[in-house]
Amino acid sequence: MKREEFLRHLRKNRCYLKREGASHSLWVNSVTGNLQAVPRHSELSDALCRKICRDLEIPFLY
């Protein structure tokens, strides 16, 4: 999945960018307060996206 598509999905589910790290971006779910790192690769595997969604407690895109 393209990273930009995944970031759009995070924003739609009330997540926001907390800060940029060296190789990851830290995203926070504004409802639950859960924090998760999202790597800065142009393509993210579906398994990784599923894990990030599960950790942020939001539905998976597909």
Side-chain angles (χ1 to χ4, degrees):
M1 167 182 307
K2 295 282 185 193
R3 183 175 190 268
E4 288 304 315
E5 179 184 354
F6 184 64
L7 296 183
R8 254 183 264 120
H9 174 68
L10 293 180
R11 286 186 199 100
K12 282 182 187 177
N13 286 281
R14 295 187 278 181
C15 295
Y16 65 92
L17 177 66
K18 181 172 183 176
R19 69 178 174 87
E20 294 285 344
S23 60
H24 291 77
S25 305
L26 291 180
W27 284 79
V28 178
N29 183 332
S30 62
V31 177
T32 63
N34 292 354
L35 179 73
Q36 186 61 37
V38 177
R40 282 204 211 115
H41 303 290
S42 58
E43 284 282 330
L44 302 173
S45 71
D46 285 345
L48 177 60
C49 293
R50 189 174 291 111
K51 184 218 179 287
I52 291 169
C53 288
R54 184 175 57 241
D55 291 346
L56 289 173
E57 296 181 20
I58 60 173
F60 183 57
L61 190 58
Y62 297 122

